[in-house]
Amino acid sequence: GENVEQHPSTLSVQEGDSAVIKCTYSDSASNYFPWYKQELGKGPQLIIDIRSNVGEKKDQRIAVTLNKTAKHFSLHITETQPEDSAVYFCAASTTGGFKTIFGAGTRLFVKA
Amino acid sequence: EAGVTQFPSHSVIEKGQTVTLRCDPISGHDNLYWYRRVMGKEIKFLLHFVKESKQDESGMPNNRFLAERTGGTYSTLKVQPAELEDSGVYFCASSKTLQGKNNEQFFGPGTRLTVL
């Protein structure tokens, strides 16, 4: 069935360093890839997304890249800050489809 | 604008009991979704409503789970009878419908269900 693999499961970085989270997906029909951030006691919140006709998208300190051929996509956070500490989920779905397949999450710790 | 709300935030029940979770979506959002996350694993899709209709319930684990959305507003998810493996965090999300586009899903804070 459809699945999304996410790595690493835990990531610890020093404040100011970069963090990279990688995902692979299995359904070749997937063409929409959102990333969610979940803070303690809250639900996941969309932070950035990318569509399959785009290879890279950037929003301030976060960027996403997509390699459709390899079915890989990644989240890059630069100049990490303690408030970036959270669980991050990658996901995949299809345009017009509503079923979203999530990865298992990456717990990011940013040490001050 | 109020976000997605879920009730209760926590529920602890014994195996064999019944539990009903409630979700109130953002006003005006026709789409409502239920998801579940078992400890350390992926957020797994359970089902999707469009207004009061079940559009996709392919993720529902078995017939012990019943979701309803009467009137197309709030939704309930009932587990009867609960089993140990039903423990996890149940998330509800809602979204608008925009033709031909992927629509941002807004998540509630979740209900943490523990079955003892």
Side-chain angles (χ1 to χ4, degrees):
Chain A
E2 310 138 325
N3 75 295
V4 173
E5 302 273 344
Q6 182 171 349
H7 300 280
S9 56
T10 305
L11 179 59
S12 184
V13 300
Q14 203 66 37
E15 182 179 1
D17 287 349
S18 295
V20 180
I21 301 170
K22 298 183 178 182
C23 292
T24 59
Y25 60 97
S26 61
D27 185 358
S28 56
S30 297
N31 56 10
Y32 175 65
F33 306 91
W35 286 85
Y36 289 84
K37 175 183 181 182
Q38 185 185 9
E39 296 175 304
L40 199 61
K42 298 182 179 180
Q45 182 178 11
L46 180 73
I47 54 171
I48 194 168
D49 57 19
I50 190 168
R51 300 180 193 279
S52 60
N53 58 345
V54 175
E56 184 172 353
K57 182 177 178 180
K58 192 172 181 181
D59 182 3
Q60 298 183 335
R61 294 187 297 107
I62 59 173
V64 290
T65 59
L66 171 65
N67 182 331
K68 273 217 87 175
T69 304
K71 296 184 190 170
H72 290 171
F73 57 116
S74 301
L75 176 72
H76 304 251
I77 306 174
T78 58
E79 300 171 28
T80 53
Q81 300 167 5
E83 53 265 37
D84 294 329
S85 297
V87 179
Y88 291 80
F89 293 95
C90 62
S93 71
T94 58
T95 300
F98 295 88
K99 184 175 180 178
T100 302
I101 308 298
F102 283 84
T106 295
R107 184 173 292 278
L108 174 65
F109 296 96
V110 180
K111 296 176 285 186
Chain B
E1 180 184 82
V4 177
T5 57
Q6 292 187 243
F7 183 82
S9 56
H10 293 85
S11 181
V12 181
I13 61 172
E14 293 189 350
K15 177 182 170 180
Q17 290 186 321
T18 297
V19 63
T20 300
L21 314 181
R22 173 172 170 142
C23 168
D24 286 78
I26 293 172
S27 177
H29 283 194
D30 287 342
N31 299 288
L32 186 148
Y33 316 80
W34 283 98
Y35 293 89
R36 175 174 73 178
R37 187 181 191 216
V38 173
M39 176 95 72
K41 298 202 171 179
E42 75 274 18
I43 299 173
K44 189 168 181 293
F45 170 87
L46 297 180
L47 89 159
H48 166 222
F49 284 99
V50 177
K51 297 185 181 178
E52 67 276 7
S53 300
K54 290 177 188 174
Q55 197 73 11
D56 181 351
E57 52 184 328
S58 61
M60 293 289 264
N62 50 61
N63 59 10
R64 294 186 295 102
F65 289 74
L66 175 64
E68 295 180 317
R69 193 183 181 196
T70 307
T73 54
Y74 71 92
S75 174
T76 58
L77 179 64
K78 182 161 75 172
V79 185
Q80 180 184 31
E83 298 289 344
L84 299 178
E85 64 264 25
D86 300 333
S87 295
V89 180
Y90 289 77
F91 291 106
C92 174
S94 70
S95 72
K96 294 180 182 178
T97 296
L98 296 171
Q99 292 302 324
K101 286 192 173 186
N102 297 93
N103 310 306
E104 179 179 356
Q105 296 185 21
F106 295 83
F107 280 77
T111 293
R112 181 175 295 278
L113 175 65
T114 302
V115 182
L116 302 175

